[in-house]
Amino acid sequence: MQTKEKKTFAYIVFGIYLVFLCWLILFKLADSIDKIPSMRGINLIPFHYDQLSNTKFHQMEVIYNVLVFVPAGFFFTAFGKRKIIVGFAACAMLSICFEILQWIFALGASDITDLISNTIGGAFGTMLYFVLGKLCKGHQLKIACILGAILEVFFIILIIALSILNK
């Protein structure tokens, strides 16, 4: 595959990832308009939860937020001239945008904890880019695209299966 083709494939994989990320964060994987949650809340105290809430749920949500932003950090770094600050800052800005959009459109609770955990996930993705660069000598984008495409196909199959089961 030529360099231009590799980059085009990488942009396509990253674009599909961003669509899934929007669907996950903003629409909570809703498969119809009436299932999109309508809620507006804000929490500006990091890692602060209601005493009545399920702590295990919130701990898992932090872990999921970290994991779901790892690819963002990886790709932003790869596309941002391989600079650490680009990957980190782009993830922080993307997360801020999601939190603002959630607030504006009442799509969920805007939470500083989400911003922190998303940015940490992006930082892990940035580090992963450089670690793979040391281990794979310039093939890190190709590896990420292949893994990303496989995960996206799996995710699409999962969505189709869930939609069939829900009917």
Side-chain angles (χ1 to χ4, degrees):
M1 201 182 288
Q2 300 297 332
T3 304
K4 187 176 180 181
E5 291 170 334
K6 284 182 195 175
K7 280 196 172 186
T8 301
F9 184 65
Y11 283 122
I12 291 169
V13 169
F14 186 53
I16 293 169
Y17 160 77
L18 288 176
V19 168
F20 284 144
L21 193 62
C22 287
W23 186 37
L24 173 67
I25 292 175
L26 296 178
F27 303 110
K28 315 301 186 251
L29 302 177
D31 60 355
S32 65
I33 291 175
D34 60 320
K35 291 182 183 175
I36 297 173
S38 179
M39 168 192 147
R40 180 177 289 139
I42 192 163
N43 174 27
L44 298 176
I45 303 169
F47 304 98
H48 174 76
Y49 307 107
D50 220 354
Q51 290 179 348
L52 302 175
S53 65
N54 183 348
T55 306
K56 181 86 169 159
F57 168 79
H58 291 295
Q59 291 170 345
M60 292 307 297
E61 185 179 31
V62 168
I63 292 168
Y64 295 148
N65 284 342
V66 169
L67 291 175
V68 78
F69 263 76
V70 170
F74 186 95
F75 281 108
F76 280 134
T77 304
F79 298 144
K81 302 197 191 262
R82 297 160 190 75
K83 294 188 177 178
I84 291 173
I85 193 69
V86 172
F88 184 79
C91 285
M93 289 304 300
L94 180 62
S95 184
I96 288 169
C97 288
F98 280 138
E99 296 305 314
I100 290 170
L101 288 170
Q102 282 181 318
W103 171 256
I104 290 171
F105 296 110
L107 294 171
S110 298
D111 194 337
I112 192 72
T113 304
D114 293 347
L115 175 63
I116 292 168
S117 55
N118 293 346
T119 305
I120 289 170
F124 283 144
T126 297
M127 289 185 282
L128 179 64
Y129 178 84
F130 289 107
V131 168
L132 275 177
K134 296 283 185 199
L135 296 174
C136 302
K137 303 290 184 213
H139 296 288
Q140 61 266 43
L141 191 57
K142 182 179 179 181
I143 292 168
C145 286
I146 292 168
L147 291 175
I150 291 169
L151 287 172
E152 288 168 0
V153 167
F154 173 76
F155 192 63
I156 290 168
I157 291 169
L158 182 64
I159 292 167
I160 292 168
L162 289 174
S163 68
I164 291 170
L165 291 174
N166 287 335
K167 288 187 179 190

